[in-house]
Amino acid sequence: MLNHEIEPAAPIPYCRVLLIAALALGLQAKAQKVITSQYDNARTGANLNETSLTPRNVNVQHLGKILTFHVDGDVYAQPLFLGGVEIPGKGRHDVLFIATEHDTVYAFDAYGNPSSPLWQVSFLKEGSTTVPADDAQCPFIAPEIGITSTPVIDPGSGTLYVLVRTKGKRLLLDYDYSQSLHALAVATGEEKPGSPVEIHASVSGSGKGSGGGEIAFNSLRDNPRAALLLNQGTVYLSWASACDVGPYHGWVMAYDAQSMKQKAVFNASPDADDSGFWAGDTGPAADKAGNIFVATGNGRFDANKSGRDYGDTLLKLDGQSLKIKDYFAPFNVDALDAGDSDLGSGGPMLLPDQPGAHPHLTVVEGKGGTLYLVDRDHMGHWQPESDSHAVQTIPLPGGVFGSMTYWNHYVYVLSDSDALRQFEVKDGKLSLKAAGGNKFPGVSATPTLSANGSKDGVVWVLNSKGWNSFDRPAVLFAYDAANVGHELYDSEQNGGRDRAGLALRFNIPTVVNGHVYVGAKHEVDVYGLLPAAQANK
């Protein structure tokens, strides 16, 4: 057990904090880091700088649970990691950042030395609380909703951006629900200048919940699940809802990373409703030109009739204005909407440049059980009768709640009630190479991958809890990335030693510097190579 009691620290002048952080981060330019969901803005899900964990030592004899960080709330957000951070008065540390549904951000030494937090910040101030699940009328995140979206770090300025939900005092007939974007110094947790900023937005429209010809952002009903994105000096946030409780709309907003001022707003259903950006806790993707790629869930699609509503659509947005530059909608978009088969239950992944006629490809799958490979330079809009405007479609046994992983010309995907599948990317198309030997019952998961460049690849999967299933421990699985038919390890092979905390939904493990960090209910479990004495037990 770890003791996480903390003595209050004296406030540190912000200018000194900024100088310390800049010097530390500059000196550690080559230090390990995981600063965004799925490791990069293409959302490939692969850490290519892992030299310690390999298919040869990821097994029950050599790998196990070595540490647990106990925290004050459930951990849905993917833990982030920044090496070589100078913490005032505490020295230099590789830091693990953990955000909880109790509206707290923790900074721990990533290896538990010391075991108490280096700093922690609570956003519950002046009588505010987290948002109770009953207020959201949804049991998906319970008992409280605080920080769900994975934050993002700018290592250059030493800033961690986090989106926070709170419930304030009662105002006349209702409570004051708010959402706010915070910019924290990675060395201390102190707010940066201009932080926080409360989320407000409105667009013209006649959709559900509109008034006076406008749709306004709803701090209670519009629920953020997707990770934050930082690209070219801009922080991007996106929203769906809780359990489809309306009125809600799919929103994307852009904020200047330095001034914290809102730059642009996009609404996917201004004249209808829904069309949220779910993504199963994965994040919007960005290409090198600064374009943003997101997929919407259920909602009316009428863009083919000169409308402005984009239900069940893969969108390409201009990174500065958030205006639509291109889109792909499946031919059966109306049937997807009618059958609650959100395309946007999955987040897009951008493949590295490919040879041939379609050098820039993206892949996405939703609840409908079809994997779409789309040319992101010519997305095809909507076509009747078939998906011939896609580069390729592949039927799968179940849907996806999250995204996929890419490494070394392979795409890895785990659909509902299916085994982990490995597709080879060749000549701009996908073909099945291998599948794991075990199926995952219930909700799918987002794989993650560690490798040393193009060798020693390991695919990691954390099983996900169904929204209505009984509590059970999370189970961490590892597969040989060269052939996922070869399972290397799972945490129940020696459950007495390695059992994780209680599983949540859609969690993505973080693999970095020889360690695997697993978010669970009120804790993060840490897996790593065991000492020789333990390894021989």
Side-chain angles (χ1 to χ4, degrees):
M1 282 292 200
L2 300 178
N3 178 12
H4 291 162
E5 297 296 325
I6 311 174
E7 296 181 3
I12 300 168
Y14 174 74
C15 59
R16 183 183 166 215
V17 169
L18 186 61
L19 177 61
I20 291 171
L23 288 173
L25 293 169
L27 290 171
Q28 296 292 315
K30 295 184 179 180
Q32 289 277 329
K33 57 186 178 183
V34 179
I35 57 176
T36 192
S37 172
Q38 304 150 272
Y39 303 104
D40 57 43
N41 286 354
R43 307 305 188 188
T44 62
N47 175 10
L48 304 183
N49 299 298
E50 178 53 55
T51 58
S52 297
L53 301 176
T54 74
R56 295 175 295 283
N57 61 27
V58 174
N59 54 58
V60 71
Q61 288 77 34
H62 296 93
L63 184 80
K65 187 170 77 168
I66 59 175
L67 181 65
T68 294
F69 295 119
H70 295 279
V71 293
D72 64 5
D74 295 347
V75 181
Y76 285 85
Q78 185 177 358
L80 301 178
F81 178 102
L82 198 57
V85 180
E86 189 73 31
I87 306 296
K90 298 182 180 180
R92 180 170 293 170
H93 296 265
D94 289 354
V95 179
L96 187 76
F97 298 92
I98 300 171
T100 77
E101 293 292 349
H102 196 62
D103 276 336
T104 302
V105 173
Y106 293 83
F108 283 100
D109 177 275
Y111 320 117
N113 183 25
S115 60
S116 57
L118 301 168
W119 57 258
Q120 73 182 77
V121 172
S122 172
F123 300 103
L124 301 180
K125 298 178 175 66
E126 299 176 356
S128 65
T129 68
T130 55
V131 179
D134 287 347
D135 290 23
Q137 301 178 39
C138 180
F140 286 0
I141 302 173
E144 60 182 348
I145 307 168
I147 303 170
T148 305
S149 302
T150 298
V152 68
I153 295 172
D154 178 5
S157 65
T159 307
L160 181 144
Y161 299 91
V162 58
L163 180 59
V164 176
R165 297 191 63 178
T166 56
K167 177 183 179 180
K169 298 177 181 179
R170 189 176 184 90
L171 301 174
L172 298 178
L173 301 178
D174 205 352
Y175 288 91
D176 177 26
Y177 298 96
S178 67
Q179 299 190 32
S180 52
L181 176 64
H182 295 254
L184 308 180
V186 297
T188 64
E190 291 188 347
E191 300 271 5
K192 292 286 192 80
S195 175
V197 58
E198 189 167 351
I199 305 299
H200 295 287
S202 62
V203 297
S204 63
S206 58
K208 194 171 182 180
S210 63
E214 287 195 337
I215 299 284
F217 178 77
N218 187 319
S219 292
L220 175 61
R221 296 296 171 218
D222 295 316
N223 182 47
R225 290 219 62 144
L228 276 62
L229 169 68
L230 173 64
N231 195 59
Q232 299 183 1
T234 301
V235 180
Y236 299 90
L237 316 173
S238 56
W239 286 265
S241 81
C243 291
D244 280 319
V245 177
Y248 79 92
H249 297 265
W251 296 86
V252 181
M253 300 185 200
Y255 286 81
D256 183 271
Q258 184 174 359
S259 69
M260 299 288 285
K261 292 182 179 179
Q262 189 180 86
K263 295 173 60 176
V265 172
F266 172 76
N267 186 301
S269 53
D271 299 317
D273 56 12
D274 303 359
S275 301
F277 301 98
W278 301 89
D281 290 3
T282 64
D287 66 12
K288 295 176 183 178
N291 299 302
I292 309 302
F293 295 83
V294 286
T296 63
N298 295 330
R300 184 173 72 190
F301 173 78
D302 60 12
N304 61 319
K305 302 173 183 177
S306 301
R308 302 192 299 161
D309 303 312
Y310 289 87
D312 292 299
T313 304
L314 175 64
L315 298 167
K316 178 180 181 179
L317 305 178
D318 178 85
Q320 295 301 310
S321 66
L322 294 182
K323 293 181 179 179
I324 295 177
K325 295 180 69 173
D326 203 353
Y327 72 87
F328 167 85
F331 83 98
N332 60 340
V333 63
D334 291 338
L336 293 177
D337 179 30
D340 189 27
S341 298
D342 308 62
L343 179 65
S345 68
M349 180 180 70
L350 311 186
L351 299 185
D353 290 358
Q354 301 294 316
H358 306 285
H360 302 135
L361 294 167
T362 186
V363 60
V364 68
E365 183 190 353
K367 287 162 63 175
T370 298
L371 186 152
Y372 302 92
L373 188 65
V374 177
D375 184 335
R376 59 181 191 263
D377 295 327
H378 306 283
M379 298 176 70
H381 291 194
W382 175 86
Q383 302 295 330
E385 300 182 3
S386 76
D387 284 323
S388 59
H389 52 311
V391 174
Q392 187 180 14
T393 58
I394 299 174
L396 291 172
V400 157
F401 292 79
S403 193
M404 302 147 206
T405 293
Y406 174 89
W407 174 72
N408 217 22
H409 307 291
Y410 293 116
V411 169
Y412 306 86
V413 58
L414 180 59
S415 302
D416 267 0
S417 301
D418 195 20
L420 178 66
R421 293 178 181 243
Q422 176 182 359
F423 291 90
E424 184 176 13
V425 184
K426 187 175 182 180
D427 298 326
K429 295 288 185 71
L430 303 179
S431 60
L432 183 66
K433 175 182 177 178
N438 61 307
K439 292 189 175 183
F440 287 74
V443 178
S444 69
T446 298
T448 193
L449 188 141
S450 62
N452 183 9
S454 61
K455 63 181 182 179
D456 292 336
V458 178
V459 183
W460 306 84
V461 176
L462 188 64
N463 74 335
S464 186
K465 180 183 181 295
W467 73 269
N468 59 351
S469 63
F470 294 107
D471 284 342
R472 61 173 183 267
V475 183
L476 177 67
F477 291 84
Y479 298 86
D480 187 340
N483 186 338
V484 299
H486 180 204
E487 181 184 328
L488 302 171
Y489 168 85
D490 75 63
S491 56
E492 285 297 310
Q493 290 172 337
N494 186 345
R497 182 192 69 194
D498 296 347
R499 183 161 294 139
L502 293 179
L504 299 171
R505 301 186 75 208
F506 313 143
N507 290 52
I508 306 173
T510 297
V511 188
V512 58
N513 210 19
H515 294 72
V516 185
Y517 299 93
V518 171
K521 198 169 186 64
H522 279 252
E523 64 187 63
V524 170
D525 297 300
V526 187
Y527 294 79
L529 297 177
L530 300 166
Q534 288 181 283
N536 293 327
K537 286 185 179 180

